[in-house]
């Protein structure tokens, strides 16, 4: 579907659309998919294209032209407006196969007229640069040949373009069988009409459902209008060339962020995030925001350095520039030292032929010498200046410089790695030849019979799968809330995988490789441990070891992002926890984690939290500081009592009683207690 | 509180940070470096050079200061100490050694220490030194013993221990063999505990003879073939004085994962960032009254009830097509998950298939991890060798972290290169180049121009050749960061003004002009007509009908409430321009925090939609 300022989708929902060969999807289902995909694209790319949806072959009639028995069985489902989620939902739920068949007056071609008129009425006062009508039908209707001319005339006059989506291709001798008499006749009519319309190649605007779905599957790539950056390329003080830069490649991100909403009301206004500052003392005295200044670490000192001073003293420059520092061999620029996240193409200023010639001279000179310009680039006064390389780039129809940022001294990390020229690792000849044949079998670029290169896998043609998946899930959630998210679409999975030809071809070489290169996973001490294990082990560790590990600063509680916690990992070191503040902090985290675990309402998580609590308890006992433990335990207990847990047999009274008992026990020298037993019974 | 806060803070801004690199944990594995300056304080050290050259002591203090200030910026958690020997006064932890003066014990350097070293410089400094430490008897053995105690008093894990002796006396004990022997014993004790002893022998009339005594004290050079001691003292000093204002970073993996070639063929690899845009170090929030650092606590609570919200009471939403689409927090993560982290080989391509354009973020580096999967290095090495030989790169699907969507990457073979003295210039391994997806490439409409003639090109070639230089990636400092460090230094050390920086990425216009001479004019005569001035404003754009005259200032459109409501209802707000929307917001008293179009639209809908 061509993008136009507005599109009218006309879908045939009549009787024959539901016909299908066994095991195949019906025309109706395919057509509906085409429409869904198309609307999904429009909604999530937030284009300003307006859409209307007209159904024909409907049981009921609802359209402004339905007078005197004309234009029957046509329902204008949605007038021209910007598509929204509502439309997606309606398509999902309300567009169903219906049982009418358009009568003889109602040829699909006729239908195309309705929205035009209809819309010209509605669109009064609005200007449409372009109106496009997309017809999805199986052409199984009786048509009136005489009307064709009128239609063509009408369409040409109003500047409306038409596209057809059919279940079968219109080319001769292809799947000609199995079509009804009407379909055959109408096929010819459609062809005739499309050819007579004033379009370059009318037949290109006739698509099959399947092709359309394939094409539409890919969510439209994120498109940004290129923004020109006019500047002057300077060499020394007196040679300058007027240029304009455009971002050509950049790490594109999704436009929208997730906002936080309240789980119940789904309102973002119900949730507020607040940051408070407090002194690092025992009372955690709160400090007002206005009483906060900024400072920077200078060795062991912190130097107060206010924002105002910083602004005044900071590096300042003259702003926008693209100045040549010198020229160097292309080979001295290492590919792995490209910095930044973009490539800027530099052209001569538009409409300035002299600049064009001057820049062309530079580009060609660099190209012939295999050199690049090293330039100082500053986007504007506020942005930090960069150093970068401008590569010559000559294509058949255009010449430009490609600017890529290069590193500063501060950015480089000169790491050294042990040499691989080590007897232990040197591969044998047999091993090398195994790798050789693997490479042979897995070459993605090959020449076909005509000597033309064929690339089997082009990542830059694949849409970003993260975006595709994101919108697939959003669509799903919008249309069918309350159901789990769908799996990744098969086409996307396939697009990210090794091409099938390669998979087949590399099977044998891979087997050889596997035999030639023994790979054994080194047994590691289990990385994930339960808190209980850790606490048990840690306490036995020697003093010396603790000192060594002194630098480990974080207590890392395993996150549950995936919702599949297999164990709770606490890397707090017993030695460090002796410090009361650290211990408090640790307790806070642990409590929080337990709450999280509990909120998942799943037995597995309860078990985790119990392990946590047990470990917590033991540690509290060891440190003789049970205050936090009791506080946490209260929370935990309250949760149980609140009936949050189904089947909890604990009554409020019991709970309170328990708490009192627990506190008493903790005050006395605590010994392993029965509380865990109670909890385990859950 | 790191984890506690991160839990809330990262949710909206993930992906933007450097992948996987946690800050603050630099020293977790490696421990800290330590350096002790052991400086001779004998009378000889204070003798000034002939032409008013600074004394050896003065020079030494200058070096110490430079090292201090360098360390503060490059690795402020390294420990440094300054100890004088041959002093009159004694000052050491247990005061058990005579004539040893611990000026600074092993600790992180800070502004105060720099100032204290400053105080010992110059004429005044010499005077102060004479007053506070004085010159007296020498026992290097005691001095070394004292230093050994400094090391043993440190409870932190030290990765590298170095001791530097600054002296101009090649016979410190004047031939006292007992003291000589004692010093040798103590030196070997120190060396046994992993301390590297280095000698900075300073100028001495008649030359410094190392073989008299010090050859037995210092650690043997790593390379047996050449005696490191023969090095000119001045070279080493110069090296020490070189100021480097850049944060030193320890080699750490971003991730350890598998490079999967096929079913069951997993090579363990580590991923390293070798070039990361350095930023100014982050600021610390301080309490105005006391200048003490404050901690921040972020809480999420319910606006109406005021109660703290548990993560389970929060969901995530996006607004599209007039509808709030809500997901669970874990669903938001799940959406991004395609597979477990790892590299999966898709196939190989000839090197020329990798275009310059294929760049969306800095490359990372791949090196085998033999410790994880035995045999990794061998297969990795074979792969590297063959890819390099055949000039192909490996195309892989790459998931760098848990719940990260995939990217395609090109693994470019890089052979090990050694420079002078067998120093590794480039390490062996694969460079990982991130490849763009279709979304990352923008469609441009390049302007068409006639190409330059060969004469014009040739003239430019002359210009290019005149301005040739050898590019070195480490040759350019970031002026923004350099200025920041100098500012900080000036403030910390109460300097009048920060040190001047040299902006290395500023074109040296005078030099360029001089080198090019008449070439510029010749070139301009070839390409520009006489009346043309590239520096003047471009001629006013002809307003053609089809461009719609974008530059034209449109008269201000005021919307009536009804019109606006109609827009809200029809979902056509997006058709209005940002200024119009802003005006509308103002007009209807809608307060917005953002200035982005979508934010304005959302705000208006929220106000007028219901």
């Amino acid at each position: 579907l061509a993008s136009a300022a507005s599109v009218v989708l006309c879908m045939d929902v009549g009787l024959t659309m539901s016909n299908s060969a066994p095991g195949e999807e019906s025309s109706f289902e395919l057509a509906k998919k085409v429409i869904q995909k198309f609307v999904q694209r429009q909604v999530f790319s937030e284009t300003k294209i307006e859409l209307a949806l007209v159904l024909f072959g409907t049981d009921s009639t609802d359209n402004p032209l339905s007078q005197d028995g004309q234009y029957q069985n046509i329902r204008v489902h949605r007038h021209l407006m910007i598509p929204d989620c509502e439309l997606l939902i309606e398509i999902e739920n309300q567009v169903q196969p219906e049982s009418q068949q358009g009568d003889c007056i109602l040829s699909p071609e006729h239908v195309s007229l309705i929205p035009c008129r209809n819309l010209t009425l509605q669109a009064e006062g609005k200007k449409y640069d372009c109106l496009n009508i997309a017809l999805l039908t199986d052409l199984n209707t009786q048509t009136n040949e005489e009307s064709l001319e009128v239609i063509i005339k009408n369409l040409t006059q109003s500047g409306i373009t038409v596209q057809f989506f059919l279940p079968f291709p219109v080319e001769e001798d292809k799947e000609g069988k199995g079509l009804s008499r009407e379909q055959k006749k109408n096929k010819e009519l459609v062809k005739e009409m499309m050819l007579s319309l004033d379009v370059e190649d009318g037949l290109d605007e006739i698509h099959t459902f399947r092709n359309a779905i394939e094409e539409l599957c890919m969510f439209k790539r994120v498109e940004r209008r290129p923004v020109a950056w006019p500047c002057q390329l300077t060499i020394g003080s007196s040679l300058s060339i007027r240029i304009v830069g455009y971002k050509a490649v950049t790490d594109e991100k999704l436009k929208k962020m997730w906002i936080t909403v309240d789980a119940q009301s789904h309102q973002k206004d119900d949730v507020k995030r607040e940051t408070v500052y407090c002194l690092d003392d025992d009372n955690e005295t709160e400090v007002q925001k206005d009483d906060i200044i900024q400072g920077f670490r200078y060795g062991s000192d912190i130097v107060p350095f206010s924002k105002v001073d910083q602004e005044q003293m900071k590096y300042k420059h003259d702003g926008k520039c693209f100045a040549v520092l010198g020229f160097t061999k292309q080979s001295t620029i290492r590919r792995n030292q490209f910095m930044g996240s973009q490539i800027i193409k530099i052209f001569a200023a538009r409409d300035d032929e002299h600049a064009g010639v001057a820049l062309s001279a530079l580009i060609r000179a660099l190209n012939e010498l295999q050199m690049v310009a090293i330039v100082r680039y500053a986007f504007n006064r506020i942005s930090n200046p960069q150093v970068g390389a401008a590569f010559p780039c000559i294509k058949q129809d255009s010449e430009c410089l490609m600017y890529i940022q290069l590193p500063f001294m501060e950015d480089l990390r000169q790491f050294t790695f042990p040499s691989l020229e080590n007897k232990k690792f040197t591969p044998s000849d047999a091993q090398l030849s195994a790798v050789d044949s693997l490479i042979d079998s897995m070459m993605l670029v090959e020449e076909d019979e005509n000597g033309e290169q064929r690339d089997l896998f082009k990542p830059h043609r694949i849409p970003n799968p993260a975006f595709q998946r994101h919108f697939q899930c959003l669509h799903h959630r919008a249309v069918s809330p309350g159901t789990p998210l769908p799996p990744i679409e098969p086409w996307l999975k396939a697009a990210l995988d090794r091409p099938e030809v390669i998979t087949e071809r590399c099977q044998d070489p891979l087997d050889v490789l596997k035999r030639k290169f023994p790979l054994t996973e080194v047994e590691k001490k289990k990385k994930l441990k339960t808190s209980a294990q850790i606490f048990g082990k840690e306490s036995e560790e020697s003093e010396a070891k603790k000192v060594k590990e002194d630098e480990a600063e974080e207590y890392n509680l395993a996150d549950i992002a995936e919702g599949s916690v297999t164990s709770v990992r606490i890397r707090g070191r017993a030695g460090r926890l002796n410090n009361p503040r650290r211990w408090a902090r640790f307790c806070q985290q642990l409590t929080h984690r337990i709450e999280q675990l509990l909120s998942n309402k799943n037995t597995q998580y309860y078990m985790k939290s119990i392990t946590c609590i047990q470990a917590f308890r033991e540690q509290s006992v060891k440190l003789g500081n049970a205050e936090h433990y009791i506080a946490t335990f209260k929370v935990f207990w309250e949760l149980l009592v609140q009936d949050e847990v189904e089947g909890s047999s604990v009554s409020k009274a019991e709970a309170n009683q328990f708490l009192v008992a627990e506190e008493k026990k903790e005050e006395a020298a605590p010994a392993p207690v029965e509380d865990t037993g109670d909890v385990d019974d859950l | 509180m790191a984890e506690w806060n991160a839990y809330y803070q990262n949710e909206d801004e993930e992906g933007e940070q450097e992948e996987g690199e946690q800050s603050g944990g630099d020293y977790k594995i490696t421990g800290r470096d330590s350096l002790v300056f052991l400086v001779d304080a004998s009378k000889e050290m204070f003798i000034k050079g002939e032409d008013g050259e600074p004394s050896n002591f003065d020079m030494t203090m200058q070096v110490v200061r430079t090292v201090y200030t360098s360390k503060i910026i490059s690795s402020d958690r390294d420990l440094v100490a300054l100890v004088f020997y041959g002093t009159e006064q004694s000052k050491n932890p247990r005061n058990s050694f005579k004539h040893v003066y611990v000026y600074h014990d092993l600790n992180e350097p800070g502004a105060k220490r720099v100032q204290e070293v400053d105080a010992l410089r110059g004429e005044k400094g010499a005077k102060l030194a004479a007053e506070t430490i004085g010159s007296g008897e020498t026992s290097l053995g005691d001095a070394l013993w004292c230093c050994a105690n400094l090391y043993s008093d440190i409870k932190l894990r030290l990765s590298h221990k170095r001791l530097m002796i600054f002296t101009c006396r090649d016979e410190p004990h004047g031939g006292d063999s007992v003291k000589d022997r004692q010093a040798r014993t103590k030196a070997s004790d120190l060396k046994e505990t992993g301390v590297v002893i280095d000698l900075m022998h300073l100028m001495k009339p008649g030359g410094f003879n190392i073989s008299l005594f010090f050859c037995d004290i210092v650690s043997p050079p790593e390379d047996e073939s050449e005696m490191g001691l023969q090095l000119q003292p001045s070279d080493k000093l110069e090296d020490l004085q070189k100021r480097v204002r850049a944060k030193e970073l320890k080699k750490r993996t971003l991730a350890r994962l598998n490079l999967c070639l096929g079913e069951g063929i997993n090579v363990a690899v580590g991923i390293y960032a070798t070039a990361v845009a350095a930023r100014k170090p982050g600021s610390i929030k301080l309490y105005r009254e006391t200048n003490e650092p404050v901690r921040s606590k972020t809480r999420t609570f319910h606006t109406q009830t005021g109660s703290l919200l548990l993560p389970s009471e929060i969901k995530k939403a996006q607004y599209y097509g007039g509808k709030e689409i809500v997901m669970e927090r874990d669903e938001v993560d799940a959406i991004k998950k395609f597979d477990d982290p790892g590299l999966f080989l898709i196939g190989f391509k000839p090197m020329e298939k990798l275009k310059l354009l294929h760049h969306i973020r800095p490359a990372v580096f791949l090196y085998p991890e033999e410790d994880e999967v035995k045999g990794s290095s061998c297969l990795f090495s074979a792969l590297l060798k063959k890819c390099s030989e055949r000039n192909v790169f490996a195309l892989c699907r790459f998931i760098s972290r848990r719940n990260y969507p995939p990217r395609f990457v090109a693994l470019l073979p890089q052979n090990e290169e050694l420079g002078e003295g067998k120093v590794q210039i480039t390490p062996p391994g694969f460079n990982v180049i991130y490849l763009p997806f279709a979304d990352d490439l923008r469609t441009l409409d390049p302007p068409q121009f006639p190409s330059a003639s060969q004469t014009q090109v040739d003239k430019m070639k002359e210009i290019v050749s005149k301005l040739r230089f050898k590019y070195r990636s480490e040759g350019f400092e970031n002026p923004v960061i350099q200025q920041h460090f100098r500012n900080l230094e000036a403030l910390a050390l109460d300097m009048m003004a920060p040190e001047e920086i040299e902006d290395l990425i500023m074109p040296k216009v005078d030099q360029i002009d001089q080198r090019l001479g008449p070439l510029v004019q010749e070139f301009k005569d070839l390409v520009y007509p006489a009346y043309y001035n590239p520096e003047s404003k471009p001629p006013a754009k002809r307003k053609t009908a089809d461009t719609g005259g974008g530059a034209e200032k449109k008269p201000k459109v005021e919307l009536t409430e009804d019109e606006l409501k109609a827009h809200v209802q029809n979902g056509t707000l997006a058709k209005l321009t940002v200024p119009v929307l802003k005006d509308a917001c103002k007009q209807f008293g809608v307060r917005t925090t953002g200035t982005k179009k979508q934010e304005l639209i959302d705000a208006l809908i929220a106000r007028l939609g219901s």
Side-chain angles (χ1 to χ4, degrees), chain B residues 26-27 67-78 243-250 485:
Chain B
D26 286 26
Y27 295 82
V67 172
Y68 271 18
T69 45
S70 295
K71 282 270 180 204
I72 282 173
I73 285 164
S74 66
S75 35
D76 61 357
R77 308 197 47 192
D78 286 358
R243 289 236 32 197
V244 183
R245 287 185 182 85
K247 189 133 184 63
E248 202 177 278
L249 287 149
K250 297 267 143 58
F485 282 142

Side-chain angles (χ1 to χ4, degrees), chain A residues 425-494:
Chain A
F425 306 138
T426 311
S428 67
D429 287 348
Q431 284 176 319
L432 283 174
S433 78
V435 172
D436 240 341
S437 45
L438 180 76
I439 295 179
D440 283 334
S441 72
M442 292 185 80
M443 280 311 283
L444 294 165
V445 182
E446 38 183 33
E447 280 188 9
D448 60 12
E449 312 88 63
N450 308 326
E452 264 175 60
Q453 269 200 350
R454 211 159 58 97
D455 194 336
L456 294 172
F457 199 92
K458 291 182 175 165
H460 63 274
R461 292 285 164 77
I462 300 174
N464 190 335
F467 301 172
Q468 300 292 324
R469 173 79 176 139
H470 182 84
F471 290 119
Q472 182 209 357
C473 290
L474 283 180
H475 181 190
H476 175 91
R477 184 50 52 89
V479 169
S480 17
T483 56
L485 296 177
I488 296 171
E489 286 179 319
W491 73 266
L492 185 57
K493 264 201 137 85

Side-chain angles (χ1 to χ4, degrees), chain A residues 496-512:
Chain A
L496 298 175
D497 222 332
R498 211 176 259 174
E500 255 172 62
V501 218
I502 300 285
T503 312
E504 271 170 42
R505 243 174 19 198
C506 70
Q507 208 45 60
D508 293 339
L510 273 177
D511 286 340
V512 177

Side-chain angles (χ1 to χ4, degrees), chain A residues 5 74 144 205 207 214 301 334 392 442 453 457 504 618:
Chain A
I74 297 173
N144 186 344
E205 293 302 323
H207 313 265
E214 262 168 46
D301 304 304
R334 289 174 176 273
M442 292 185 80
Q453 269 200 350
F457 199 92
E504 271 170 42
E618 280 163 32

Side-chain angles (χ1 to χ4, degrees), chain A residues 206-421:
Chain A
I206 306 176
H207 313 265
T208 64
F209 289 155
R210 287 195 186 281
N211 284 345
I213 292 175
E214 262 168 46
E215 270 172 44
L216 286 168
C217 251
M218 293 194 188
F219 183 76
K220 218 164 91 183
R221 62 195 187 115
V222 176
E223 282 204 50
R224 300 272 156 94
R225 206 186 307 155
V227 181
W229 178 76
C231 192
Q232 305 217 337
L233 182 152
T234 56
I235 303 174
S237 65
S238 51
L239 180 52
S240 60
I241 304 172
R242 289 179 46 222
I243 51 164
V244 58
Y246 292 99
K247 248 186 217 181
V249 184
T250 187
D251 194 351
E252 208 68 65
K253 297 278 190 315
L254 283 171
K255 257 197 265 176
K256 287 193 178 176
M257 296 280 214
W258 289 99
I259 47 172
T260 307
V261 297
D262 181 66
Q264 246 87 54
S265 64
H266 290 186
Q267 289 297 310
K268 72 168 176 199
D269 295 340
D270 283 348
V271 180
K272 206 175 163 211
R273 243 171 74 169
E274 176 195 68
T275 305
V276 290
Y277 300 96
C278 56
L279 296 181
D280 210 7
D281 57 13
D282 288 341
N283 299 329
E284 301 205 323
T285 320
E286 219 169 277
V287 174
Q288 289 309 305
K289 217 174 168 191
D290 298 341
D291 289 331
I292 287 177
I293 52 170
Q294 69 164 7
F296 289 90
R297 196 170 277 288
Y298 184 77
S300 51
D301 304 304
I302 297 172
V303 182
F305 193 2
S306 74
K307 285 218 170 92
V308 183
D309 288 347
Q310 200 189 353
E311 190 56 37
Q312 206 156 36
M313 292 173 76
K314 78 169 189 196
Y315 174 82
K316 292 184 194 77
H317 61 97
D318 297 337
K320 194 185 255 194
C321 99
F322 199 81
V324 172
L325 304 180
F327 299 95
T328 193
K329 280 262 163 230
Q330 274 179 26
S331 56
T332 58
I333 312 286
R334 289 174 176 273
R335 178 70 219 222
N336 56 315
Q337 287 187 340
F338 287 7
M339 298 296 287
S341 60
Q342 60 178 22
I343 284 181
I344 300 169
K345 280 193 176 173
I346 305 282
F347 300 97
R350 260 175 218 280
D351 307 326
D352 188 339
E353 209 169 283
H354 310 303
V357 173
L359 192 67
S360 166
L362 177 60
I363 293 166
R364 289 182 171 260
L366 289 176
N367 192 52
E368 285 175 27
L369 295 167
Q370 284 296 294
M371 292 182 79
V372 294
I374 300 294
V375 296
R376 172 197 178 93
Y377 162 85
F379 180 73
N380 61 20
R381 270 178 74 87
I382 313 157
S383 64
N384 293 334
Q386 304 173 354
V387 61
F391 286 82
C393 167
I394 299 180
K395 290 249 175 75
Q396 215 162 25
D397 55 345
S398 73
E399 296 172 358
C400 68
L401 288 173
M402 275 203 281
Y403 170 81
I404 298 164
Q405 191 188 347
L406 292 175
F408 283 118
M409 177 272 286
E410 293 90 338
D411 305 339
L412 293 169
R413 304 176 180 189
Q414 311 281 16
F415 299 149
T416 50
F417 291 83
S419 175
L420 288 173
E421 301 290 319

Side-chain angles (χ1 to χ4, degrees), chain B residues 111-278:
Chain B
K112 191 162 160 268
R113 288 189 162 202
V114 176
Q115 284 167 327
E116 282 165 358
V117 172
D118 268 339
L120 293 177
R121 286 170 61 193
E123 202 74 48
K124 269 191 191 163
K127 220 175 127 203
L128 182 72
E131 283 164 18
T132 48
I133 54 177
S135 300
E137 253 177 75
T138 302
S139 167
L140 195 59
D142 279 352
L144 291 172
W145 194 346
C146 178
C147 293
N149 286 350
L150 288 183
Y151 279 116
S152 60
D153 285 347
I154 296 298
K155 290 282 171 274
L156 299 164
R157 185 169 156 187
L158 299 175
S159 60
H160 192 68
K161 297 187 245 184
R162 200 161 162 211
L163 183 114
M164 279 183 169
I165 304 174
F166 287 77
T167 185
C168 59
R169 294 184 295 162
D170 41 15
E171 282 182 293
H173 305 121
D176 183 337
S177 60
V178 180
K179 278 190 174 173
D180 276 359
R181 195 171 344 107
Q182 196 201 358
R184 278 191 211 110
T185 323
K186 283 299 153 202
S188 72
D189 286 354
L190 265 176
K191 281 182 269 187
E192 233 161 68
T193 59
V195 177
V196 177
I197 303 178
D198 219 343
L199 177 69
M200 292 290 159
H201 50 293
L202 304 160
M203 288 308 169
K204 177 188 175 249
F208 194 101
N209 191 348
I210 297 155
S211 55
L212 283 177
F213 169 69
F214 274 101
C215 55
D216 294 333
I217 298 290
V218 297
S219 303
E222 277 171 45
D223 196 350
E224 293 288 335
S225 61
E226 51 176 313
M227 275 299 280
L229 295 173
Q230 303 309 327
L231 220 67
Q232 279 299 309
S234 53
D235 286 354
K236 280 206 248 175
L237 277 178
E238 211 171 273
D239 223 37
L240 274 179
Q241 270 171 326
K242 218 195 283 164
R243 289 236 32 197
V244 183
R245 287 185 182 85
K247 189 133 184 63
E248 202 177 278
L249 287 149
K250 297 267 143 58
K251 188 172 100 184
R252 288 186 305 132
T253 55
L254 294 176
R256 285 193 182 84
L257 32 83
N258 283 334
L259 164 61
C260 176
L261 307 184
E263 181 77 40
I265 310 176
N266 291 318
V267 180
V269 290
I271 301 196
Y272 299 84
T274 48
V276 180

